[in-house]
Amino acid sequence: MMEEDMENGRSYQERPRTFSTIRSKSSIPLVFRLLMRINPRALIILSLLVFSGVLYVGASTSPIVVFVFCICTLSLFFSLYLTKWVLAKDEGPPEMSEISDAIRDGAEGFFRTQYGTISKMACILAFVILGIYLFRTTTPQQEASGLGRATSAYITVASFLLGALCSGIAGFVGMWVSVRANVRVSSAARRSAREALQIAVRAGGFSAIVVVCMAVFGVAILYSTFYVWLGVDSPGSMKVTDLPLLLVGYGFGASFVALFAQLGGGIYTKAADVGADLVGKVEQGIPEDDPRNPAVIADLVGDNVGDCAARGADLFESIAAEIISAMILGGTMAQRCKIEDPSGFILFPLVVHSFDLVVSSVGILSIRGTRDPGLISPIEDPMSIMQKGYSITIMLAVLTFGVSTRWLLYTEQAPSAWLNFALCGLVGIITAYAFVWISKYYTDYKHEPVRLLALSSSTGHGTNIIAGVSLGMESTALPVLVISVAIISAYWLGQTSGLVDESGNPTGGLFGTAVATMGMLSTAGYVLTMDMFGPIADNAGGIVEMSQQPESVREITDVLDAVGNTTKATTKGFAIGSAALASFLLFSAYMDEVASFAQIPFKEVDIAVPEIFVGGLLGSMLIFLFSAWACSAVGKTAQEVVNEVRRQFIERPGIMDYKEKPDYGRCVAIVASASLREMIRPGALAIISPMAVGVIFRILGHSTGQPLLGAKVVASLLMFATVAGILMALFLNTAGGAWDNAKKYIETGALGGKGSESHKAAVTGDTVGDPFKDTAGPSLHVLIKMLATITLVMAPIFL
């Protein structure tokens, strides 16, 4: 049969058996394999016992924690419903499922290898943290509560490893659903664009709900366990306002895994994408995702490991870091204001994100299918449908945020304070919406910036690059203005809330900023859903193209793919904004931690001091060097892919006539091994740099009589790195997204359409932007938050 197909010039439908070495071991994590071997009834009984134990611990802590546990449990059941609904859809004809199987095998195989490497590095770092905490000094608060060095060390290491584990599971969940939903979206596109949209959204919604739920559940369980185990608030024990500081290791573990997942996945997906586009589209003139391209399977695998698995770990880390930093600031403010029951201020972030699960679920369900087949009408395109869901989510978030502030932040000392904090949350929600709108404006081809960028392609490759770079630079202005207004507005609202310390000084400013950050992330579940929608739609388009479906089906997936590019860009803008606010909160927590250890006030960082100014320069340099190494890694790996694809076209001339089959496995092997190798250098730079700078300047400070010099230089490094990193990430993400959609706009038939000189120039711009938007850019906002958490965890070695 296959020989007949080749002789007649038809596409080959033989299943690509090129992943045997990858599939030699099961790609399902060990914990899931063990659970699958348990008898279903025994598993149900075990689950009930675990849930009962969790509820008991929660009830021993606070009724608020019980509420959080109940919402998270219901959300997990809702995610199971979404899974069942998506998996009940058909996979289409055999040729579609065969291609999907190949993508799934490659993605799961790489995931197992990548996370095996990350887990080894995490264990090494855990031993380093253990050694540091066993020999560090203790704070007066720890001495008063009887919390010794060993206990503090084991708690921090356990938190770090749990955060790393949960982050890895979040990444696995993101990839697991995407590699199973893609073929179902492809099949649905043969019937109705709206049905395909609904399947992609619900598949992304499953991943989003699980990621948010795990972040909230993980922090809540850790908090409750420590509360009960340490006997918090009992005579001679730790105060509840100091407890959130023990959770910092959890955020560090999450950011550690997220950084390497984003680097490895980003290098994989963009190296394969660049190699496939340069040779396939530009040199050979074949369509995107054409089955004759030897790099096409690697490209489709990369969408899952780079955009789904990595983004799941990224958003998990963002939510965990924001929750922990807000809990720390809430406890600190409650202690300074002598609030009788501080639990509301500490647990407020957990409740906000519990409501996030509810409102995001409603937003996901608001996107329904239709019985009318065919293309989505121009009046109601996919983006407008998803925006309607986002608008519903935002309106519900405003209501639930107001309820949360009145419930938890009301205090007799300042009866109107809760209203000020509710307005802080509203500032954060408006900021999130502004970021989504700004990102959409600069990356959607319905708006002028991308159309002007596409027009620049008509005069050549060089003008396309110049226009894309200038667009990316311009796109940093509005987000920075929005962040600036949000921080100042939230700080002012917090300061005027009426909460004062013993001396009568206002103390609510920083907590107001924390509440604004929570407001910004109060719709994180739906925003992550939009992000996961992108790679699922992209994969569906690839399956449709490779399985040689009719042009009308490809038109539907092209529309969804273009919208997916925009939703991915908007999510990245959203993530950068939340990273900026979360880093500001963690920076304040770092200064408080240093003051607590050193027992010396640490209120400001004077950049007029030469050593501190040098620390700022080093922080800015770190951002540029990290970005350079990330882009360089993509470039080096892409060169190997380009050479391999060219070699196959030369040595197998029958590929172009469908008479010979490309060796897809060779390209998969190249990008898999290279991405694992290349992610080490920039990742190590991010971890080692702040520790090395802090230790060197600590030694210099002690020799010159400046005991806090090491901590101050690290604070300067963190401050400058945050500022430079935000601007660089905005530039990279927006420029890359705009280049991609300028190409998509030309492929709709504008400016000559596919195969024209304008299209070739746009493809060049897209390949330049690929490492910007999917490797360096996303990794940067993870880096910003990881620098903040690592300096907080490692603060003792800087003194």
Side-chain angles (χ1 to χ4, degrees):
M1 184 68 185
M2 182 180 171
E3 286 76 9
E4 276 183 31
D5 287 343
M6 289 182 174
E7 287 173 7
N8 296 326
R10 295 197 298 266
S11 61
Y12 24 75
Q13 304 296 347
E14 179 197 10
R15 177 173 178 172
R17 301 183 181 278
T18 54
F19 302 96
S20 56
T21 56
I22 295 176
R23 299 192 66 186
S24 59
K25 295 182 180 179
S26 174
S27 57
I28 301 175
L30 178 62
V31 63
F32 292 111
R33 295 205 304 271
L34 292 176
L35 289 174
M36 290 166 63
R37 294 176 183 175
I38 301 176
N39 182 279
R41 292 182 179 178
L43 187 61
I44 292 173
I45 295 172
L46 181 63
S47 301
L48 289 173
L49 289 174
V50 170
F51 182 68
S52 300
V54 168
L55 277 183
Y56 172 77
V57 173
S60 303
T61 305
S62 169
I64 301 170
V65 176
V66 175
F67 171 80
V68 171
F69 285 156
C70 291
I71 294 293
C72 288
T73 303
L74 292 174
S75 298
L76 286 175
F77 280 113
F78 174 67
S79 68
L80 291 176
Y81 160 74
L82 291 178
T83 308
K84 185 177 180 181
W85 187 90
V86 171
L87 295 182
K89 300 297 178 179
D90 69 282
E91 297 186 0
E95 57 267 25
M96 279 189 174
S97 58
E98 287 171 358
I99 297 164
S100 175
D101 287 346
I103 296 169
R104 181 171 68 246
D105 294 343
E108 292 182 345
F110 176 74
F111 180 91
R112 177 182 56 80
T113 306
Q114 181 192 25
Y115 275 76
T117 303
I118 294 173
S119 63
K120 292 173 185 175
M121 294 189 292
C123 290
I124 294 171
L125 186 57
F127 279 108
V128 173
I129 295 172
L130 181 65
I132 291 172
Y133 271 69
L134 284 175
F135 295 99
R136 74 171 192 169
T137 57
T138 55
T139 65
Q141 293 88 343
Q142 290 174 339
E143 291 176 358
S145 63
L147 189 65
R149 292 180 183 176
T151 305
S152 177
Y154 293 133
I155 284 175
T156 304
V157 170
S159 300
F160 171 80
L161 292 175
L162 180 63
L165 175 65
C166 290
S167 183
I169 294 174
F172 175 78
V173 167
M175 184 210 63
W176 186 90
V177 68
S178 67
V179 296
R180 286 161 177 78
N182 51 17
V183 69
R184 290 167 170 83
V185 175
S186 301
S187 178
R190 298 178 303 149
R191 299 184 294 272
S192 163
R194 188 67 178 263
E195 182 186 351
L197 171 68
Q198 186 185 22
I199 294 173
V201 168
R202 291 198 171 188
F206 160 74
S207 176
I209 294 298
V210 171
V211 167
V212 177
C213 189
M214 283 184 55
V216 177
F217 224 156
V219 174
I221 288 176
L222 209 57
Y223 177 90
S224 302
T225 303
F226 291 159
Y227 186 97
V228 174
W229 177 39
L230 299 174
V232 173
D233 271 349
S234 58
S237 64
M238 174 178 282
K239 294 181 180 179
V240 69
T241 51
D242 296 324
L243 182 57
L245 283 169
L246 299 179
L247 308 178
V248 173
Y250 185 85
F252 181 32
S255 60
F256 175 83
V257 171
L259 180 67
F260 281 99
Q262 191 67 71
L263 278 171
I267 293 168
Y268 188 113
T269 183
K270 289 303 108 180
D273 195 3
V274 169
D277 283 355
L278 285 179
V279 183
K281 287 184 179 179
V282 178
E283 295 182 8
Q284 299 295 329
I286 58 179
E288 185 173 1
D289 300 326
D290 191 286
R292 292 169 291 179
N293 194 326
V296 66
I297 290 291
D299 184 10
L300 296 174
V301 168
D303 291 334
N304 295 285
V305 298
D307 288 331
C308 291
R311 197 74 73 250
D314 179 3
L315 264 293
F316 173 88
E317 180 267 340
S318 293
I319 296 167
E322 176 266 332
I323 290 175
I324 293 168
S325 59
M327 291 175 75
I328 291 171
L329 292 176
T332 302
M333 188 193 68
Q335 187 176 27
R336 289 175 180 171
C337 298
K338 303 296 182 182
I339 294 174
E340 186 175 347
D341 182 12
S343 60
F345 288 85
I346 295 172
L347 298 175
F348 179 68
L350 295 174
V351 173
V352 168
H353 283 292
S354 297
F355 280 123
D356 171 20
L357 290 167
V358 176
V359 301
S360 296
S361 299
V362 174
I364 292 165
L365 291 177
S366 70
I367 298 177
R368 297 183 175 274
T370 179
R371 293 181 181 179
D372 298 329
L375 280 169
I376 298 172
S377 66
I379 300 173
E380 194 178 31
D381 66 353
M383 195 67 205
S384 67
I385 295 170
M386 297 184 75
Q387 281 183 321
K388 286 179 183 177
Y390 186 48
S391 298
I392 292 171
T393 306
I394 281 184
M395 287 189 291
L396 292 174
V398 171
L399 294 175
T400 56
F401 208 94
V403 171
S404 301
T405 51
R406 180 62 181 82
W407 173 26
L408 298 173
L409 302 185
Y410 178 81
T411 174
E412 294 292 342
Q413 293 174 234
S416 62
W418 72 271
L419 183 58
N420 281 50
F421 291 129
L423 292 175
C424 290
L426 184 60
V427 167
I429 292 171
I430 293 172
T431 301
Y433 190 83
F435 261 86
V436 169
W437 184 87
I438 292 167
S439 299
K440 178 177 176 294
Y441 174 73
Y442 278 107
T443 57
D444 193 337
Y445 63 60
K446 294 183 179 65
H447 300 291
E448 185 180 20
V450 174
R451 295 202 173 199
L452 289 176
L453 176 57
L455 183 61
S456 70
S457 303
S458 61
T459 53
H461 301 250
T463 50
N464 173 278
I465 301 300
I466 293 169
V469 170
S470 63
L471 183 151
M473 289 180 174
E474 179 189 321
S475 69
T476 62
L478 285 177
V480 168
L481 292 175
V482 169
I483 291 173
S484 302
V485 171
I487 290 176
I488 293 173
S489 301
Y491 189 88
W492 180 82
L493 285 168
Q495 282 291 87
T496 57
S497 63
L499 290 170
V500 294
D501 60 15
E502 292 178 323
S503 305
N505 299 316
T507 59
L510 281 176
F511 188 68
T513 309
V515 173
T517 308
M518 286 180 270
M520 187 171 186
L521 285 169
S522 63
T523 57
Y526 191 86
V527 172
L528 182 56
T529 297
M530 291 197 297
D531 184 77
M532 292 293 184
F533 165 85
I536 292 172
D538 192 357
N539 255 210
I543 292 172
V544 166
E545 182 69 37
M546 287 195 70
S547 60
Q548 304 288 289
Q549 298 301 309
E551 187 64 26
S552 60
V553 180
R554 181 65 194 185
E555 286 175 6
I556 291 176
T557 56
D558 279 347
V559 171
L560 297 178
D561 187 15
V563 171
N565 285 334
T566 303
T567 58
K568 286 192 292 183
T570 56
T571 306
K572 289 167 189 171
F574 175 88
I576 293 168
S578 64
L581 293 175
S583 297
F584 177 73
L585 304 180
L586 289 168
F587 181 77
S588 302
Y590 166 73
M591 295 181 73
D592 288 342
E593 182 80 345
V594 169
S596 178
F597 274 105
Q599 301 181 40
I600 301 173
F602 185 27
K603 301 286 186 183
E604 58 188 23
V605 179
D606 185 2
I607 61 172
V609 177
E611 294 90 345
I612 296 176
F613 182 74
V614 168
L617 284 177
L618 293 173
S620 301
M621 177 211 70
L622 173 62
I623 296 300
F624 282 83
L625 186 59
F626 178 88
S627 302
W629 284 359
C631 290
S632 174
V634 174
K636 289 178 183 177
T637 309
Q639 289 176 28
E640 296 182 44
V641 176
V642 166
N643 290 332
E644 172 61 25
V645 174
R646 285 174 177 168
R647 181 191 67 79
Q648 291 199 34
F649 277 125
I650 293 171
E651 296 181 1
R652 302 184 180 189
I655 288 176
M656 291 299 293
D657 299 324
Y658 297 100
K659 294 180 179 178
E660 288 187 83
K661 188 174 182 62
D663 184 359
Y664 301 119
R666 178 59 187 156
C667 290
V668 170
I670 288 172
V671 290
S673 60
S675 59
L676 293 174
R677 180 181 68 249
E678 296 291 341
M679 75 178 184
I680 301 297
R681 189 170 64 153
L685 174 72
I687 295 170
I688 295 172
S689 295
M691 292 192 289
V693 169
V695 171
I696 291 171
F697 280 94
R698 170 194 175 182
I699 296 170
L700 181 62
H702 281 291
S703 63
T704 57
Q706 302 177 73
L708 288 183
L709 184 63
K712 289 181 178 179
V713 170
V714 169
S716 177
L717 180 147
L718 179 59
M719 187 189 308
F720 279 70
T722 300
V723 173
I726 290 168
L727 293 172
M728 178 69 82
L730 284 169
F731 162 70
L732 294 173
N733 285 332
T734 309
W739 266 317
D740 196 349
N741 270 351
K743 178 197 69 175
K744 295 288 183 187
Y745 175 61
I746 293 174
E747 288 175 348
T748 62
L751 302 172
K754 294 182 180 180
S756 65
E757 292 302 316
S758 296
H759 183 237
K760 291 180 179 179
V763 170
T764 300
D766 181 33
T767 55
V768 171
D770 276 340
F772 284 19
K773 66 182 175 68
D774 286 320
T775 307
S779 299
L780 273 178
H781 59 76
V782 180
L783 170 67
I784 292 168
K785 289 171 289 186
M786 198 191 77
L787 287 175
T789 53
I790 194 172
T791 51
L792 188 55
V793 171
M794 300 294 183
I797 70 173
F798 307 145
L799 301 171

